[in-house]
Amino acid sequence: MTKTQDNEIIQEGKTEILVHKTKVSRKGPGTKDKKPFYNPAMELNRDISVLMSQWFIDLTRRHVYILDGLAASGINGIRLANEVKGNFTVIINDWNKNAFFLIKKNIEYNRLKNAFASNEELNILLSKNRYEYIDIDPFGSPAYFVDSAVRSITNNGLIACTATDTAALCGVYPKTCIRRYGAKPLHSHVMHEVGLRILIGFICREAAKYDKGIEPMLCYYRDHYFRVYLKIKRGVRYANRSISKISCVDPKKTSFTFSYKKFQGNNIGPLWIGRLHDKDIIKKLRDYLSEKDLNTRKTIWKLLDLFEEEADGPIFFHTTEHIASKLKISPPSMEKIFEKLCENGYNVRRTHFSPTGFKTDASLDEIEEIFKRINRETKRGR
Ligand SMILES: C[S@@+](CC[C@H](N)C(=O)[O-])C[C@H]1O[C@@H](n2cnc3c(N)ncnc32)[C@H](O)[C@@H]1O
C-alpha cells in the first residue's frame, strides 16, 4: 500500500488501515470534502462494535452477512472482518467513489477473504438484499435509512445505528427533531437520555409498520453521539409488545421537575420507555473484552459496569447539581447521596449519562429532604 502526503496508515485494535488525513470536526468533514472520512475519536465506538459482532456471530451459529452500509475508509467493516472470529462475510459499502477505492485497497492490504467492497446508495442496496447485521453510521441523522434497514434485516437480525445529530435529539432544534423523528425532545439535564429514547422509539415505530418488534441489546450516549444495537424480531406479537413500550411523557407527572420552562405542561416524546441494555449481553461482552486486543479496554470496562448498574433502573435520572441548585445549596458527594438513599430503603444506581447522575425510586420530595439533611449535617461538621 502506498503512503502519500495526505494519507497515513493507522492501527486500531489488531487492524492496520490506510486513511486520509481529514480535518475532523464533530459534525464530520463537511459536504465539499470528497475524501473518505476517518474519525479517531470513534475508536471506542468501533471497539464496542467488534465486541457486539463477536457476540452476535457466536449466537447465530450460521453464516452471517454483515453490511457496513456507510463505511468511508471501511475501518469498521475491515476491523470486523479482521478481528471477529466465525462464519461471516462483511459487505463494506460507500457511495463515494474515493471511499470505494480506499475500501478495496484496505481489504487487499489486510488480505481479507471475508470482506467485499461495494459502491451503492445505501437505501438501494438495502432494497435489493437482506442482511443479518446492518450497521448505519451516517454524518448526522440515520433517519433516512431506517425504513430500508428494518425491511432488509432478517428475523432476529441486529441493527447497529449511530446518530450524531445531537442538537436535534437533545432539543436545541426541537422542530428538526419533530420533522426527523416525529418526537418532541427536551433540552434539560436529561436531554441525552430523552434523545436516545426518541431514537429507539423512532426505529421501533418504523419496524412496527412491517410487523416487526425491537429488543434493545446495548444503547448509549457518548462523546456527542448516540449508538443503539437493536435485535429485530418478525411477528405481530413482537411488534405489539414493542409498541406498548412507546409513550409520551408529561414532565410534570414524572418523579422530578424539569427546569426547561418552554416545555412545561407539554408532553415530550413519543419515547421508548423500555430497557436500554440486556444484562446477559453485558456479561458476555466482558468475556470478549478480556480476550480482544483493544486500546479502549479500560474505558469500555467502566462503561459496561455503568450499563449493568442502570439496566434495571427507572427511566431518567437526577443530577446532584440540578437538585442542589434548586435548593440553593452546594451539591453533596455522590457517596453521601447513595449512603443516605440506601439507609432510607431506596434503590439508587449510577448512570452512564452523567458522572453526577443517579437513578432512584425515591420521590423528588424525598430526595430534596435527603439533600437538605446532608447539607445540615455538613454544616454541623458531622
Ligand atoms: C460518518 S461516515 C462513515 C464513517 C465510518 N463508518 C467510520 O467508522 O469511520 C459516512 C459515510 O457515508 C457515506 N454516505 C452518505 N450517504 C450515503 C448513501 N446514501 N449511500 C451510501 N453511502 C453514503 C459518505 O460518503 C461517508 O463516507
Side-chain angles (χ1 to χ4, degrees):
M1 176 147 12
T2 35
K3 191 177 167 310
T4 64
Q5 254 185 347
D6 40 326
N7 65 35
E8 61 186 329
I9 292 174
I10 58 100
Q11 178 162 2
E12 266 190 25
K14 275 172 39 183
T15 309
E16 282 189 358
I17 79 154
L18 185 72
V19 296
H20 286 287
K21 290 179 186 163
T22 324
K23 276 190 189 144
V24 177
S25 85
R26 278 177 185 150
K27 290 177 187 158
T31 44
K32 283 187 186 149
D33 196 336
K34 295 278 182 273
K35 290 178 190 162
F37 173 63
Y38 166 72
N39 187 354
M42 295 299 256
E43 180 169 1
L44 177 135
N45 195 27
R46 289 185 284 267
D47 283 351
I48 294 182
S49 170
V50 167
L51 301 174
M52 285 300 290
S53 307
Q54 189 65 71
W55 161 76
F56 182 70
I57 282 155
D58 288 351
L59 175 88
T60 310
R61 293 203 193 135
R62 59 186 158 81
H63 191 90
V64 165
Y65 283 96
I66 298 179
L67 174 65
D68 181 5
L70 303 167
S73 65
I75 174 108
N76 188 41
I78 303 266
R79 286 196 56 193
L80 301 188
N82 197 34
E83 296 173 40
V84 175
K85 294 179 201 130
N87 184 13
F88 68 97
T89 305
V90 194
I91 294 90
I92 309 177
N93 178 68
D94 201 293
W95 67 357
N96 178 312
K97 272 268 177 287
N98 294 328
F100 172 66
F101 292 128
L102 187 60
I103 294 166
K104 280 181 94 163
K105 270 192 202 169
N106 279 319
I107 291 175
E108 280 163 27
Y109 179 72
N110 283 281
R111 298 198 179 94
L112 298 171
K113 298 276 177 275
N114 56 349
F116 299 92
S118 154
N119 184 211
E120 291 218 49
E121 198 285 321
L122 177 57
N123 283 312
I124 294 177
L125 194 59
L126 289 167
S127 305
K128 288 197 288 198
N129 304 311
R130 305 196 69 201
Y131 303 92
E132 277 80 19
Y133 182 151
I134 298 169
D135 193 310
I136 303 170
D137 181 30
F139 295 132
S141 175
Y144 324 105
F145 306 107
V146 171
D147 176 87
S148 319
V150 294
R151 276 189 294 132
S152 167
I153 197 85
T154 56
N155 190 23
N156 288 314
L158 195 66
I159 292 185
C161 179
T162 315
T164 59
D165 57 338
T166 48
L169 283 163
C170 294
V172 179
Y173 304 118
K175 284 182 185 160
T176 312
C177 189
I178 292 167
R179 278 199 317 276
R180 277 184 199 154
Y181 299 99
K184 196 168 178 185
L186 185 75
H187 194 62
S188 69
H189 68 282
V190 288
M191 62 191 176
H192 299 133
E193 184 165 349
V194 172
L196 186 63
R197 291 181 180 280
I198 285 177
L199 176 63
I200 303 170
F202 170 72
I203 301 174
C204 175
R205 298 194 317 271
E206 292 288 276
K209 292 190 303 199
Y210 302 106
D211 290 342
K212 294 179 180 185
I214 64 157
E215 280 185 9
M217 301 286 108
L218 202 74
C219 302
Y220 58 93
Y221 169 81
R222 189 169 172 86
D223 297 339
H224 309 282
Y225 65 88
F226 296 96
R227 178 79 166 165
V228 300
Y229 291 89
L230 306 175
K231 201 181 231 197
I232 308 292
K233 297 192 132 201
R234 197 174 52 219
V236 172
R237 191 160 57 104
Y238 294 114
N240 286 341
R241 197 189 292 167
S242 301
I243 280 292
S244 73
K245 290 180 189 147
I246 297 281
S247 179
C248 287
V249 175
D250 180 349
K252 283 196 296 190
K253 287 191 184 143
T254 53
S255 64
F256 53 88
T257 49
F258 289 94
S259 56
Y260 194 61
K261 293 204 172 59
K262 270 190 196 169
F263 282 100
Q264 268 181 13
N266 292 330
N267 280 352
I268 56 163
L271 310 176
W272 170 260
I273 55 164
R275 63 156 202 233
L276 297 178
H277 322 289
D278 181 320
K279 274 171 105 175
D280 293 339
I281 289 170
I282 295 171
K283 288 193 182 74
K284 297 216 171 76
L285 293 184
R286 281 207 191 91
D287 295 340
Y288 294 127
L289 188 58
S290 44
E291 285 164 17
K292 304 259 182 212
D293 209 356
L294 303 174
N295 291 330
T296 65
R297 177 186 285 155
K298 276 192 188 155
T299 315
I300 295 181
W301 202 274
K302 286 185 195 151
L303 261 183
L304 292 180
D305 286 347
L306 289 173
F307 294 161
E308 191 171 37
E309 195 168 325
E310 73 188 344
D312 298 325
I315 68 163
F316 300 149
F317 59 92
H318 306 274
T319 65
T320 53
E321 309 89 78
H322 91 268
I323 294 183
S325 97
K326 188 177 168 217
L327 300 174
K328 299 194 171 53
I329 57 175
S330 23
S333 70
M334 289 284 274
E335 289 75 18
K336 246 313 171 249
I337 294 161
F338 274 56
E339 186 192 306
K340 292 287 175 201
L341 282 167
C342 290
E343 262 176 32
N344 285 276
Y346 297 111
N347 284 317
V348 55
R349 299 146 195 276
R350 291 173 303 158
T351 171
H352 85 277
F353 291 107
S354 163
T356 56
F358 60 97
K359 287 177 178 259
T360 177
D361 51 358
S363 72
L364 184 62
D365 286 346
E366 288 153 340
I367 298 167
E368 288 184 358
E369 196 42 54
I370 284 174
F371 267 59
K372 285 182 204 158
R373 211 178 310 148
I374 297 174
N375 189 50
R376 282 196 299 271
E377 284 176 8
T378 314
K379 277 193 178 153
R380 270 190 251 125
R382 278 172 54 190

